Amino acid sequence: MSEKSKKPVLWLNEVDKNDVSIAGGKAAGLGELMNIPDVHVPEGFVITAYAYKLFLDRNDIEKKINEIIEMLDVDDTRALQRASSEIKSLFVNSKMPDDLFDSIIEHYEDLVQREGAAYVAVRSSANLEDMANASFAGEQETYLNVKGNDQVIEKVKECFASLYSTRAIYYRKKENINERASLSVIIQKQIFSDVSGVMFTLDVSNGDRSKIVIESSYGLGEYIVSGQVTPDTFYVDKNTMKIVKSTVVSKSKMLKALEGGGTMEVSVPETLCEEPSLTDDEVIELAMAGKSIENHYNHPMDIEWAKYQGKLYIVQARFETVWSNREPEEPEKKDYENEVILKGLPASPGFITGRAHVILDVSNIDHFKNDEILITRMTAPDWVPVMKKSRAIITDDGGMTCHAAIVSRELGVPCIVGTSSFGKKATETIKTGDLITVDSRNGLVYRGKVGSETENEVSVEIPEIITGTKVMVNMGEPSIAERIAKLPCDGIGLMREEFIWAEIGEHPLSLLKNNRGDYFVDKLSEYMAQVCRAFNPRPVILRFSDFKTDEYSNLKGGSEFEPVEDNPLLGWRGASRYYDERYREAFKLELMAVRKAREEYRARNLWVMVPFTRTVEEMERIIRIMEDNGLYRGKDFKVFLMAEIPSNILLADKFNKYVDGYSIGSNDLTMLLLGSDRNNGKMSSMFDERDLAVKRAIKYLIKIAHKDKKIVSICGQAPSQYDELVDFLVRAGIDDISVNPDAVIHVKKLVASVEARIKLEAALGHVEIDDDWDLP
């Protein structure tokens, strides 16, 4: 045993990457960073694994821990939680040995005196690095804004106790690991970030290793990671160490750490809102540190940093794991000297140059020419014909799940939304006839022509990918069915009627009034059959119409039949229309079209889905209407419920009686769970399908639906956007994942990778447990 391994406390600069068993992976990594030129790490010390063992021995609690664990059935979730709670109380209620107490406090007071700040961060550092990566990641605790001797000791004990979280106990028991697990604890100067962010030593959009990309915003970095703010972005060329591109956004809010503990959202001072959050010199200083770290590890890096009292600190560095294992895309050569005239949210990727055409009212879409760039306030279903002709789309309003964003992604049309949130309205900044370049991967619009363009076609080179979880596709435009059907998908998880309705162009009640109901049925059934033939025998799940009153009003003749609502998004829509005497006859036209497609066109792979159903009684009424019109649930005809209202989740055991499965509409479900209008660009930072509340709802639905052998799918935008959510969905046991056409191959590969990891974990005795997902 080395002298270092017998010390209960070591300064961070005394450890390096070879001291994982002594100081834990996190502390060893920070110590290693301290040895790299140009890298500044907040000062601190580490309470070693030796100290942890001393704590156990002096308090004689290891025997008690073993007694609790020995007879524990870790597959009993409640028993596992009780055991974890009992063990943690042993740690917290035990006394810190006097000599260890003195050593910790001596180092703490020395740190406070040297750094001139009493507040510290207390961070766990796992010692069994291989297990930490596979089993304990994210389980050990971190405490911020800790001040005073008693608080420091208390938080150290709580970090020790976190080694016995439910997940950690589970894995050690399953793997029959009898050796002492141990934990180290880092005490580090608290950084009250004035500015913070992340840095990648490659361009994460295309894998270009010649660039360093830095994201930066005011306050704590948590708001960048969670998507609460849009950060400034700086691109630095590694060879010249010069800034080659920068995007500075309006920053209205930030998260600040409070010296008394906790955090608070505050407004950014008006004088700073529009200013870069970093100076050019600070960007280069960070880039130099990033380059040094990458050279030291000989690997692309993902780095967290913070600025405090005028000094830049590196607070975390890990290997970049996406592009470092893939071939980079050929970077596009662009003339970034062109003026950036607009910024917005990158809704659908692409890089297109063309002539702009500003249209403020749908009545003027007939003037739009093929391959022009559509500039408007916001689109709606009756805008689809012009959207299909557009070379690109830019809107004043909207978030990542607004109509323009969803439809453009399906059509493969580059799109930027919500420019007004970035200070300028597209409809006021751009004039009809202007030549512009749309870089919708980065949410930028340039004046004039910039560089070359990339094709946005779906790839026809289809790899063979086998997955247990079905990967389906969202679509609604029948004309692209043949092309989309070539993708390696298991069917259509969401076929929208809105595209077809836009082609018909008239309100169904107006058609009935004019004795043209048969025309509606014929057109709708023909389009349905066209799509079903392309995908046969794979299922096509048709969502019944889900227009809102304002969208129906815009159809020809619609204003006669539609009320005016203050909030159509939460108004007369979905199932509530289908049985209403004011609309029931129009819904029957849809049922007649489905029946005609299935019986006359032999589209037996056509299934249906009922959207926005608020109560079980509504679902029962819809089923009866369907049966009255000759559509019966059976072996080759399934009825799904669009699970997008909290009541659909909470009452799934009741809905099960009337449906064959569910398709989670993550867009509306997130909106209704978090109270955030998904069509409001100003609220986009609060709209996140990865929120724990959404994940718990999904997990609960899967659990209840599977009890009655019901299928659970998801067809919202989230799986097309967030890889981590796909990982969650597969592990949660979802049956189908339906994504945008341009995401099918990527998600299929990702699902296969997750399934392979699950098999490997099972072979090693690992089973995923996440306390956050599981409800009592």
Side-chain angles (χ1 to χ4, degrees):
M1 182 179 291
S2 67
E3 286 300 316
K4 191 187 292 188
S5 64
K6 296 178 183 177
K7 291 186 176 181
V9 183
L10 292 166
W11 291 104
L12 278 176
N13 61 10
E14 295 182 273
V15 299
D16 56 36
K17 63 182 179 182
N18 298 313
D19 294 322
V20 172
S21 62
I22 297 171
K26 190 176 295 181
L30 290 171
E32 185 74 18
L33 288 173
M34 285 183 158
N35 297 318
I36 303 174
D38 302 319
V39 175
H40 303 289
V41 176
E43 292 290 339
F45 59 93
V46 57
I47 302 164
T48 66
Y50 179 69
Y52 170 83
K53 292 173 183 176
L54 281 178
F55 180 86
L56 285 184
D57 293 342
R58 301 280 181 83
N59 286 286
D60 194 27
I61 61 176
E62 187 171 22
K63 182 179 178 182
K64 298 174 184 177
I65 292 172
N66 290 337
E67 288 175 353
I68 293 172
I69 292 177
E70 186 176 5
M71 303 305 294
L72 175 65
D73 177 7
V74 292
D75 292 314
D76 184 336
T77 302
R78 293 189 181 279
L80 183 61
Q81 290 171 342
R82 284 196 301 270
S84 175
S85 179
E86 288 177 26
I87 293 172
K88 287 179 180 179
S89 67
L90 290 175
F91 280 91
V92 173
N93 295 325
S94 294
K95 181 185 176 185
M96 184 69 69
D98 290 341
D99 54 345
L100 187 52
F101 179 98
D102 292 341
S103 183
I104 294 172
I105 297 306
E106 179 185 338
H107 280 75
Y108 168 63
E109 292 178 345
D110 190 1
L111 177 65
V112 169
Q113 185 176 5
R114 282 195 288 147
E115 295 299 317
Y119 291 95
V120 293
V122 182
R123 312 168 69 189
S124 303
S125 182
N127 293 75
L128 296 176
E129 185 68 10
D130 56 330
M131 290 178 62
N133 287 340
S135 310
F136 307 147
E139 283 298 302
Q140 280 73 59
E141 297 292 346
T142 291
Y143 301 96
L144 304 178
N145 306 339
V146 178
K147 180 182 179 181
N149 297 352
D150 292 340
Q151 270 201 32
V152 168
I153 296 300
E154 177 187 340
K155 296 308 177 186
V156 168
K157 290 194 291 183
E158 290 181 16
C159 283
F160 283 167
S162 70
L163 188 59
Y164 288 89
S165 65
T166 54
R167 182 183 293 186
I169 296 172
Y170 184 94
Y171 281 121
R172 287 199 293 275
K173 185 82 170 178
K174 283 290 187 179
E175 293 187 12
N176 295 314
I177 296 175
N178 298 317
E179 64 178 288
R180 276 185 178 182
S182 61
L183 189 82
S184 299
V185 179
I186 304 165
I187 309 290
Q188 210 170 7
K189 172 186 175 181
Q190 176 68 57
I191 301 298
F192 295 101
S193 307
D194 303 310
V195 183
S196 57
V198 295
M199 169 169 55
F200 292 91
T201 61
L202 51 67
D203 187 340
V204 291
S205 68
N206 57 25
D208 180 6
R209 298 195 184 194
S210 71
K211 302 294 187 297
I212 292 173
V213 181
I214 298 170
E215 291 188 336
S216 167
S217 196
Y218 298 116
L220 297 177
E222 181 182 335
Y223 265 19
I224 294 179
V225 175
S226 65
Q228 296 290 312
V229 297
T230 300
D232 296 335
T233 307
F234 306 91
Y235 292 77
V236 177
D237 184 275
K238 282 183 188 172
N239 295 321
T240 64
M241 293 309 292
K242 292 183 178 180
I243 301 171
V244 294
K245 177 188 174 185
S246 62
T247 303
V248 178
V249 302
S250 178
K251 299 166 286 294
S252 61
K253 63 181 180 180
M254 60 179 168
L255 187 68
K256 291 288 289 183
L258 304 176
E259 291 199 355
T263 60
M264 181 175 69
E265 181 181 306
V266 298
S267 298
V268 174
E270 287 188 15
T271 55
L272 297 178
C273 287
E274 308 297 331
E275 294 298 312
S277 47
L278 290 174
T279 66
D280 288 357
D281 288 344
E282 289 169 338
V283 171
I284 298 304
E285 182 182 342
L286 273 174
M288 291 290 292
K291 186 175 180 179
S292 295
I293 294 170
E294 180 184 65
N295 290 340
H296 183 83
Y297 284 102
N298 193 30
H299 195 283
M301 301 298 289
D302 170 1
I303 300 164
E304 296 176 23
W305 60 270
K307 178 185 173 183
Y308 177 47
Q309 295 180 340
K311 189 172 182 178
L312 293 166
Y313 293 94
I314 302 300
V315 295
Q316 188 82 32
R318 60 182 70 86
F319 283 5
E320 193 279 335
T321 58
V322 179
W323 282 105
S324 54
N325 296 317
R326 294 168 54 186
E327 287 296 320
E329 293 179 356
E330 185 68 26
E332 292 180 11
K333 298 178 180 178
K334 306 188 187 79
D335 179 8
Y336 290 114
E337 294 181 359
N338 282 51
E339 179 188 0
V340 175
I341 57 175
L342 275 178
K343 297 167 187 173
L345 296 171
S348 179
F351 194 83
I352 292 293
T353 298
R355 295 288 175 183
H357 193 142
V358 181
I359 298 182
L360 301 181
D361 190 277
V362 70
S363 62
N364 297 319
I365 64 174
D366 290 343
H367 302 296
F368 191 87
K369 299 176 183 177
N370 285 333
D371 281 344
E372 289 182 319
I373 297 175
L374 174 63
I375 314 294
T376 189
R377 297 190 185 101
M378 175 44 61
T379 65
D382 51 344
W383 287 75
V384 169
V386 72
M387 295 174 75
K388 289 164 61 177
K389 297 192 295 183
S390 301
R391 191 163 179 77
I393 299 167
I394 306 173
T395 70
D396 291 343
D397 304 318
M400 294 299 288
T401 57
C402 68
H403 180 269
I406 293 172
V407 173
S408 62
R409 284 193 287 266
E410 179 165 320
L411 293 174
V413 175
C415 179
I416 294 174
V417 299
T419 63
S420 60
S421 297
F422 291 77
K424 292 182 179 180
K425 292 183 178 182
T427 54
E428 296 176 356
T429 305
I430 300 173
K431 306 299 181 185
T432 296
D434 285 353
L435 182 68
I436 58 174
T437 296
V438 179
D439 178 4
S440 55
R441 288 167 303 181
N442 297 302
L444 302 176
V445 181
Y446 295 89
R447 188 179 304 285
K449 180 177 175 59
V450 177
S452 60
E453 299 174 2
T454 57
E455 293 297 325
N456 293 291
E457 293 292 322
V458 176
S459 172
V460 295
E461 296 180 9
I462 307 301
E464 182 178 358
I465 310 166
I466 299 174
T467 61
T469 307
K470 292 181 179 179
V471 177
M472 306 178 83
V473 67
N474 300 331
M475 66 162 288
E477 172 52 54
S479 65
I480 64 174
E482 290 285 349
R483 175 164 61 89
I484 302 302
K486 295 176 182 178
L487 290 168
C489 59
D490 296 294
I492 297 180
L494 171 63
M495 179 183 172
R496 305 182 190 90
E497 286 188 21
E498 284 83 345
F499 284 79
I500 305 172
W501 282 53
E503 292 290 338
I504 296 171
E506 188 172 352
H507 195 288
L509 290 176
S510 175
L511 289 167
L512 284 169
K513 180 181 178 180
N514 296 314
N515 297 315
R516 298 180 67 228
D518 289 344
Y519 166 77
F520 182 89
V521 172
D522 291 343
K523 295 295 290 184
L524 196 57
S525 60
E526 286 173 12
Y527 282 129
M528 291 175 185
Q530 179 183 347
V531 175
C532 289
R533 279 195 299 271
F535 278 83
N536 190 52
R538 293 168 290 178
V540 172
I541 303 176
L542 173 80
R543 182 182 67 186
F544 287 131
S545 58
D546 190 25
F547 286 176
K548 274 66 78 177
T549 52
D550 56 336
E551 295 167 344
Y552 274 112
S553 294
N554 288 330
L555 293 172
K556 182 180 178 181
S559 58
E560 178 183 349
F561 303 98
E562 296 297 325
V564 176
E565 294 183 315
D566 291 333
N567 189 352
L569 204 59
L570 295 177
W572 191 36
R573 59 176 288 198
S576 62
R577 282 182 168 265
Y578 305 157
Y579 59 83
D580 192 304
E581 291 301 324
R582 293 172 293 171
Y583 191 82
R584 184 168 177 164
E585 294 305 310
F587 178 57
K588 288 181 181 180
L589 296 180
E590 293 184 59
L591 299 180
M592 292 166 64
V594 170
R595 185 174 179 182
K596 182 172 182 176
R598 286 179 54 82
E599 294 179 359
E600 295 186 24
Y601 290 103
R602 308 305 297 168
R604 310 301 288 187
N605 55 332
L606 178 62
W607 302 346
V608 296
M609 178 158 56
V610 183
F612 222 79
T613 307
R614 294 173 169 92
T615 68
V616 178
E617 290 72 23
E618 278 192 322
M619 192 69 217
E620 182 181 10
R621 296 177 77 169
I622 303 307
I623 292 296
R624 288 177 181 170
I625 295 173
M626 291 175 62
E627 291 174 348
D628 290 343
N629 286 271
L631 292 172
Y632 299 88
R633 289 170 56 205
K635 186 176 181 180
D636 72 339
F637 181 63
K638 299 188 183 300
V639 178
F640 282 71
L641 171 65
M642 191 89 166
E644 53 193 336
I645 303 175
S647 61
N648 302 151
I649 311 296
L650 297 174
L651 298 177
D653 58 323
K654 307 297 183 185
F655 279 107
N656 282 350
K657 179 180 177 181
Y658 300 103
V659 301
D660 299 286
Y662 300 84
S663 189
I664 298 163
S666 60
N667 304 342
D668 277 344
L669 181 61
T670 301
M671 175 183 71
L672 294 172
L673 283 171
L674 300 183
S676 176
D677 183 352
R678 64 183 176 90
N679 280 350
N680 186 337
K682 294 180 181 178
M683 292 299 296
S684 61
S685 63
M686 300 297 295
F687 184 93
D688 191 344
E689 295 99 325
R690 298 164 294 178
D691 190 90
L692 178 59
V694 181
K695 292 167 74 174
R696 279 191 174 182
I698 292 172
K699 179 72 173 179
Y700 181 78
L701 176 62
I702 293 171
K703 178 180 178 180
I704 301 303
H706 282 179
K707 282 185 177 180
D708 289 331
K709 297 181 171 54
K710 306 299 180 181
I711 298 169
V712 181
S713 178
I714 185 168
C715 61
Q717 293 298 300
S720 300
Q721 294 177 255
Y722 305 119
D723 287 0
E724 64 267 37
L725 193 62
V726 174
D727 185 290
F728 159 75
L729 291 167
V730 175
R731 292 181 182 277
I734 202 156
D735 301 289
D736 308 339
I737 298 176
S738 193
V739 297
N740 299 330
D742 61 351
V744 167
I745 294 176
H746 171 73
V747 171
K748 190 89 169 177
K749 289 179 179 179
L750 181 58
V751 168
S753 174
V754 175
E755 290 180 344
R757 289 202 302 273
I758 292 172
K759 288 181 181 178
L760 178 60
E761 290 166 2
L764 294 173
H766 298 177
V767 177
E768 181 75 16
I769 284 185
D770 193 317
D771 298 336
D772 281 343
W773 301 352
D774 291 329
L775 298 174

